[in-house]
Amino acid sequence: MQSSQLFLLSIALNLLRVGVAEERFCSAPSIFKAEEDSQSLYWKVTKPTLSPPHLQDLPGFTRSVYKRDHALITPESHVFSPLPDWTNTLGAYLISPAVGAHFVMYLAKMQEKSRSGIPPHDVERLIFVVHGTVTLSNVSDVSHKLIVDSYAYLPPNLEHSVMCDTSATLVVFERRYAFLEDHITEQIVSSTDKQPLLQTPGEVFELRKLLPASMPYDFNIHVMDFQPGEFLNVKEVHYNQHGLLLLEGQGIYRLGDNWYPVQAGDAIWMAPFVPQWYAALGKTRSRYLLYKDVNRNPL
Ligand SMILES: *[C@@H]1O[C@H](CO)[C@@H](O)[C@H](O)[C@H]1NC(C)=O
């Protein structure tokens, strides 16, 4: 063969390969995918398939950003390492006091026969299951099976353990409890779908709170749902800090003067007073978890 013929042949082969690749992409068995979706509510958190692979593969490319008053931490930047005090569990701290937060937010990937550690003294904990199943128990004989969308609040200094036989992913929030005289918090085990919809005057998003709004609790976790096209009315600036995990959907988050395209699996740190605003886009509902400190005098 002459070199020009070889050249043409290689072009033809490449075209064929592209054709095959596209074919595979287009004809991905959508029924199977739909099944997978319905099996696990928040599957995009642990499998952020929406992120274009060609961008993830681009050397040095990340959507993650770290600034003085906010951070966007996207899945391609996650760094997991064994969680101290836990067994067989890998953790990725997405927010910690090093960024100026008074809390931590981390992903805990529990593997076969894994077990949680106890938080430091006076530290309260909230766990929320995004993948798999775990068993929660304390010193009593009653234990709880937590599936996707379930959560548990563990008061400071409550002995407990979270165990997993196969695999599970949790998002965990912890902070040093701000004690108030004559108030104590109690263990809570529930799930998002059991929480009532709350009034949001002037806003269109749907709001649920995972913890009681009462004085003993010094933080809450809001679950906020937006349909595509819905957005925050108030361009919020406030003293509270936030840790956010986008569970479903995609949209634009405004933080200060920056506008970030975001999607399920992305995490955001918002320092006090950073201007913040969200608009949901795409074709499906946006749902996010939002840590917020409440009920304490900021002084
Ligand atoms: C331990 O767990 C049980 C079962 O959920 C619960 O009723 C009890 O209040 C928990 N103990 C404490 C001290 O919170």
Side-chain angles (χ1 to χ4, degrees):
M1 241 187 267
Q2 290 189 345
S3 64
S4 59
Q5 282 176 310
L6 265 177
F7 180 65
L8 284 177
L9 184 67
S10 78
I11 289 182
L13 279 174
N14 272 331
L15 283 176
L16 201 66
R17 215 175 292 147
V18 169
V20 169
E22 277 181 358
E23 171 76 13
R24 204 186 301 147
F25 179 69
C26 296
S27 68
S30 52
I31 301 163
F32 173 74
K33 223 161 147 244
E35 254 172 32
E36 193 180 47
D37 294 6
S38 60
Q39 272 165 15
S40 179
L41 195 54
Y42 303 132
W43 66 284
K44 279 178 184 162
V45 176
T46 48
K47 295 187 196 67
T49 51
L50 275 175
S51 32
H54 63 282
L55 288 186
Q56 283 202 20
D57 287 348
L58 206 55
F61 177 83
T62 178
R63 291 185 295 111
S64 292
V65 168
Y66 172 50
K67 301 210 179 200
R68 186 195 65 78
D69 55 7
H70 68 271
L72 168 65
I73 307 110
T74 59
E76 75 275 4
S77 308
H78 290 176
V79 177
F80 284 88
S81 47
L83 273 181
D85 311 326
W86 296 48
T87 51
N88 284 345
T89 306
L90 295 172
Y93 283 92
L94 303 178
I95 298 174
S96 85
V99 299
H102 64 211
F103 66 98
V104 291
M105 169 174 145
Y106 57 98
L107 294 175
K109 276 191 185 166
M110 302 190 77
Q111 295 157 327
E112 241 174 70
K113 301 197 174 58
S114 51
R115 190 191 184 99
S116 65
I118 290 284
H121 194 64
D122 290 349
V123 168
E124 56 190 332
R125 166 183 280 172
L126 185 135
I127 62 170
F128 182 97
V129 183
V130 291
H131 157 75
T133 305
V134 297
T135 305
L136 169 74
S137 46
N138 61 22
V139 287
S140 85
D141 291 337
V142 186
S143 61
H144 298 271
K145 209 172 180 181
L146 302 185
I147 59 170
V148 171
D149 204 40
S150 309
Y151 64 92
Y153 168 82
L154 292 318
N157 309 321
L158 173 70
E159 264 193 57
H160 67 274
S161 73
V162 182
M163 281 173 292
C164 177
D165 293 332
T166 53
S167 80
T169 304
L170 312 175
V171 51
V172 186
F173 297 89
E174 290 168 359
R175 72 169 284 189
R176 206 160 287 283
Y177 181 60
F179 285 93
L180 269 190
E181 231 172 281
D182 304 325
H183 290 288
I184 52 160
T185 60
E186 285 174 0
Q187 176 181 293
I188 293 168
V189 178
S190 190
S191 62
T192 305
D193 60 0
K194 292 197 186 115
Q195 305 313 309
L197 278 178
L198 303 173
Q199 296 290 326
T200 54
E203 298 284 358
V204 290
F205 63 84
E206 291 189 342
L207 172 66
R208 293 175 175 82
K209 294 185 181 181
L210 301 188
L211 296 178
S214 57
M215 280 308 282
Y217 297 87
D218 61 359
F219 75 92
N220 214 320
I221 302 293
H222 293 187
V223 177
M224 294 168 63
D225 293 347
F226 299 77
Q227 295 306 320
E230 292 183 346
F231 54 88
L232 284 169
N233 178 39
V234 179
K235 287 63 91 171
E236 295 185 358
V237 176
H238 53 57
Y239 79 93
N240 320 72
Q241 40 187 277
H242 285 318
L244 180 154
L245 180 66
L246 197 52
L247 296 172
E248 297 181 312
Q250 49 183 195
I252 301 281
Y253 229 100
R254 178 189 175 154
L255 297 164
D257 289 337
N258 308 272
W259 303 70
Y260 300 108
V262 292
Q263 65 184 8
D266 290 354
I268 294 175
W269 147 247
M270 288 175 245
F273 298 105
V274 66
Q276 53 199 254
W277 178 87
Y278 182 64
L281 297 169
K283 293 179 178 151
T284 57
R285 162 177 92 169
S286 279
R287 166 171 280 188
Y288 57 71
L289 282 183
L290 189 73
Y291 168 98
K292 182 182 187 181
D293 52 307
V294 294
N295 289 335
R296 296 295 184 272
N297 190 321
L299 271 181

